[in-house]
Amino acid sequence: MKAIQLVTVGKPGKFELRDLPEPKPGPAEVVVEVEACGLNHLDLWLEAGGLPIPIPLPRTPGCEIAGRVSEVGRDVSEWQSGDEVAVQSNIFCGECEYCLRGEESFCLRAEMLGITRDGGFAEKVLLPIRALMRLPKGVDFNTSAALTLAGSTAMHMLTARAQVRPGDWVLAIGGASGVGSAAIQIAKQLGARVISTGSTEAKRSLATNLGAEFVVDSTKPEWPAEVRKLNNKRGVDLVVEHVGGDVLPKCFECLARGGTIVTCGATAGRDVALNLWPIFVKEQRLIGSYGRNRVDFQATLDWAAAGKLKPVIDSIFPLDQVPAAFAKLRSRNVLGKILVKP
Ligand SMILES: [Zn+2]
């Protein structure tokens, strides 16, 4: 089977399209034929060697997989060849104390698909059955591959980690990104008043079309003041953040008393200088969010099936064009998701 593998890290990294042996399922595993796989910022970190864990190369990236079961292991009874599936990228162990209480995002022995084991930029991928979720009727492969990682990350942030209430003001950073585009839609459905940010006119109008009531230009240094002006300087109750770097401290300037910043990433930098004064004087909170639980994953698929959460697809690349897909995401000139179709 064909797979595109990262053989040397860098910006850009070196990729090779390779013929690999057909994967064979172990007793509780399946082989999935990949129909579509989303590209994520996580892949750029892998490419650049920017993850804080050692990654043996070569590695097949790709963590946002939708496809069809093509072969099942000896002990697998609940899945059969032809079943259409979405794949959870944080492959939890299912046995640790956190997994046993349904908090798979805290799993002590989780594997990261496309990072610590081979992922979906390949014709086929080997998976444990606990990573699978049945695709609901009406959710096609592209929709799943464009939503299930970024969308379920946003779902976890807005429901499990920070509970949005009707009438809350929510600021979704980067409304044209995978997480941002889903966060706008989810927050709106939960009854929040949504503000977003965008660095170009095209990104801002996408955020508006997804349901943001106001969208500010993030290239203007005074954008946090623009956010505060929108509700008489009160500030927002929740910021959905995934950029880090210089952006995270600015999010505190946007925050109301008692407000929360929930962060799931740091694409612009992990080391951030924080002024603690507003955190204690205004009783604000900064909380982390990592991946998703199975319930978040199921909710994302259910919302997609119900038409409450729509994918935003920027472009689709074939397997042999994966390096160009990485280059496009790195350029940040992207509206929504980039997909790879083997
Ligand atoms: Zn676990």
Side-chain angles (χ1 to χ4, degrees), residues 65-298:
I65 298 169
R68 226 182 241 110
V69 173
S70 65
E71 201 177 342
V72 303
R74 187 184 67 220
D75 299 341
V76 177
S77 54
E78 60 271 60
W79 297 99
Q80 52 191 20
S81 187
D83 285 346
E84 297 185 353
V85 294
V87 178
Q88 187 164 348
S89 64
N90 57 322
I91 302 182
F92 51 94
C93 76
E95 292 168 351
C96 72
E97 63 166 296
Y98 301 111
C99 286
L100 291 176
R101 61 182 202 225
E103 295 182 319
E104 293 91 359
S105 65
F106 291 151
C107 178
L108 297 173
R109 291 186 290 276
E111 293 180 278
M112 294 159 82
L113 192 54
I115 304 289
T116 61
R117 59 184 287 156
D118 283 338
F121 295 156
E123 291 174 327
K124 294 177 183 175
V125 60
L126 187 65
L127 295 162
I129 53 171
R130 61 186 179 278
L132 304 183
M133 195 73 85
R134 209 168 288 279
L135 271 191
K137 259 197 177 21
V139 178
D140 60 26
F141 295 120
N142 287 359
T143 298
S144 172
L147 269 183
T148 48
L149 189 143
S152 62
T153 296
M155 185 69 78
H156 186 61
M157 294 170 91
L158 286 159
T159 60
R161 301 298 292 146
Q163 290 82 29
V164 175
R165 299 156 303 187
D168 276 356
W169 285 86
V170 173
L171 172 63
I173 298 293
S177 65
V179 170
S181 60
I184 291 171
Q185 299 179 68
I186 295 166
K188 181 99 179 166
Q189 290 279 344
L190 293 171
R193 301 191 66 178
V194 183
I195 303 168
S196 191
T197 67
S199 59
T200 66
E201 188 52 48
K203 290 181 178 182
R204 290 190 290 276
S205 64
L206 172 60
T208 304
N209 292 338
L210 292 171
E213 200 173 328
F214 304 100
V215 186
V216 299
D217 181 350
S218 56
T219 64
K220 292 187 178 161
E222 69 281 10
W223 70 263
E226 295 292 319
V227 171
R228 295 188 72 88
K229 267 187 213 158
L230 295 171
N231 60 8
N232 297 320
K233 299 193 178 174
R234 173 188 176 276
V236 302
D237 301 288
L238 179 68
V239 183
V240 178
E241 217 286 293
H242 47 94
V243 179
D246 296 339
V247 174
L248 182 67
K250 290 189 171 182
C251 292
F252 276 99
E253 297 174 34
C254 304
L255 206 55
R257 286 173 188 272
T260 299
I261 297 171
V262 58
T263 176
C264 72
T267 54
R270 295 175 200 144
D271 293 315
V272 174
L274 279 185
N275 177 359
L276 294 177
W277 178 260
I279 295 187
F280 55 80
V281 170
K282 298 183 184 172
E283 298 190 68
Q284 296 170 334
R285 298 187 304 163
L286 171 62
I287 60 175
S289 185
Y290 182 70
R292 66 215 53 82
N293 297 331
R294 258 182 95 72
V295 291
D296 307 311
F297 197 61
Q298 183 70 63

